[in-house]
Amino acid sequence: MAHSTPQLPRIRILATGGTIAGAQIAGERGYKAAAFSVEALIAAVPQLTALAQLDVEQVAAMGSQDMDEATWRKLATRTQAALENPEISGVVITHGTDTMEETAFFLNLVVSADKPVVLVGAMRPATAISADGPMNLYNAVAVAAHPDTRARGVLVVANDEIHFAREVAKTNTTQVGTFASGHRGLAGLVHAGRLHLYAPPVRRHTSGSEFAARPPTGETPGPRRALPRVDIVYAHAGMGRELIDAAVQADARGLVIAGMGDGNLGAVALAAAAEAAKAGVAVVRSSRAGGGVVERNIEVDDDGLGFIAADELNPQKARVLLMLALTRTRDVRVLQQFFFTY
Ligand code: DAS
């Protein structure tokens, strides 16, 4: 009896650039991100053909330090379109590592689908000794092609680890183990394409997200209007009020404080933030500490000043959620609930 090989799942790879596609410059120290096409990345990993049938699409070609809302929206549109194609089982997005956590969290909130979306990058350029991109890409396709990775939200794969978009953060400037998920832990492990999955996420995401209104086919998921301006201000000893005042002058609708310790500001900056809140700017207290929960009314009178506590989100993730939340409301009590929900 003929044994037909089971149809391999079809995975769409959306490429945006980054170090995974980077090339070193002969005779120089550095490298250029986004130097290689997605076709070249795939050609470097012939073993991918045993995992999935691959479609490819070059959505952008940039270092992710240049990532912006327009590219986010284009990526969200192309991801949504791929996931709505019944022949596509999942999406892999190749992306720079600098802002990967922000893009992943944005897609986690606006893409309306249960099929897996996996972001993948690299810390060493494709031409480096022991480049980490090829194995990361192989593992990312294995995760996207696996039947059990549905309904876990957007994922990030790096260094044999599977991270939830909400939990992951880049924690080191150069090491291949840069990504960490300090609060609620890993989504699982993946070694040479073999997966070990842990518990699914508990906060709302993708098709459970109220920001992921299913768009008409081919349209951009997420809010129709441009996202409101939200700035991040990094707190430090002896901080003045100038940067907070400048954000308000620049018509920021929201302000995320990368606060000292438990989301704190010194008295001068705190007064400026209180004035901003009184003027209608949504002020969210996050922390520069790199871990831990910022709770309400511990050292700062959030109730009295009309501030919002970021809960578990780091400043860059708090900014993503606040931009989306501000398309719904400016009521600080409702905004606070978004930070307890997503
Ligand atoms: N500049 C980095 C970026 O594109 C390179 C990388 O690590 O991918 O995010």
Side-chain angles (χ1 to χ4, degrees):
M1 182 173 79
H3 291 276
S4 62
T5 50
Q7 183 84 0
L8 289 174
R10 179 171 294 280
I11 300 298
R12 179 159 299 165
I13 299 185
L14 303 177
T16 70
T19 293
I20 191 169
Q24 291 153 306
I25 303 151
E28 296 182 24
R29 279 165 54 88
Y31 68 89
K32 183 178 180 311
F36 289 111
S37 68
V38 60
E39 290 83 359
L41 295 186
I42 290 167
V45 192
Q47 298 88 337
L48 287 169
T49 56
L51 292 177
Q53 304 172 69
L54 298 177
D55 292 347
V56 297
E57 188 178 332
Q58 193 80 39
V59 174
M62 63 170 64
S64 75
Q65 58 268 45
D66 288 319
M67 190 52 68
D68 57 13
E69 181 181 342
T71 311
W72 274 0
R73 286 183 177 275
K74 186 177 177 187
L75 198 48
T77 302
R78 300 308 303 145
T79 300
Q80 189 76 44
L83 297 176
E84 288 179 4
N85 180 337
E87 293 179 11
I88 300 285
S89 302
V91 167
V92 168
I93 298 171
T94 60
H95 192 289
T97 59
D98 288 357
T99 60
M100 184 180 286
E101 67 203 77
E102 295 170 65
T103 300
F105 191 44
F106 174 73
L107 295 174
N108 198 52
L109 294 172
V110 304
V111 167
S112 170
D114 289 331
K115 293 178 186 175
V117 178
V118 182
L119 277 79
V120 63
M123 292 301 287
R124 296 172 182 156
T127 55
I129 300 169
S130 299
D132 53 328
M135 180 54 84
N136 282 350
L137 180 59
Y138 181 83
N139 281 336
V141 171
V143 169
H146 196 286
D148 295 344
T149 52
R150 295 173 65 94
R152 291 174 185 262
V154 172
L155 301 170
V156 169
V157 167
N159 199 37
D160 288 3
E161 295 180 333
I162 310 168
H163 297 266
F164 294 119
R166 179 183 184 272
E167 308 308 325
V168 71
K170 181 171 182 177
T171 64
N172 188 282
T173 55
T174 57
Q175 292 177 348
V176 295
T178 186
F179 286 112
S181 291
H183 280 127
R184 296 172 181 259
L186 293 173
L189 297 175
V190 50
H191 179 68
R194 295 186 304 276
L195 277 66
H196 304 273
L197 291 172
Y198 303 149
V202 293
R203 292 288 178 97
R204 289 173 61 178
H205 59 79
T206 55
S207 40
S209 164
E210 62 200 285
F211 303 109
R214 199 176 188 84
T217 303
E219 299 224 350
T220 300
R224 295 268 169 282
R225 301 195 309 268
L227 296 177
R229 177 184 178 124
V230 173
D231 290 324
I232 299 175
V233 176
Y234 198 95
H236 55 81
M239 179 178 179
R241 56 175 299 145
E242 294 80 2
L243 292 182
I244 293 172
D245 290 345
V248 175
Q249 291 306 313
D251 199 25
R253 286 282 162 264
L255 189 59
V256 174
I257 307 293
M260 296 171 277
D262 196 3
N264 292 321
L265 284 172
V268 172
L270 185 66
E275 287 171 32
K278 200 170 286 181
V281 176
V283 176
V284 173
R285 292 189 307 108
S286 180
S287 173
R288 71 183 201 179
V293 181
V294 174
E295 297 172 286
R296 288 186 65 80
N297 303 314
I298 302 299
E299 293 187 72
V300 175
D301 178 12
D302 294 307
D303 290 352
L305 297 174
F307 290 171
I308 297 146
D311 190 49
E312 297 171 9
L313 295 182
N314 67 21
Q316 52 271 31
K317 294 237 177 95
R319 174 176 175 270
V320 173
L321 179 56
L322 184 56
M323 285 192 291
L324 289 168
L326 284 169
T327 65
R328 292 300 175 87
T329 180
R330 297 181 70 173
D331 181 328
V332 291
R333 287 159 308 170
V334 179
L335 289 171
Q336 179 65 76
Q337 288 311 309
F338 280 115
F339 282 82
F340 293 149
T341 306
Y342 289 94

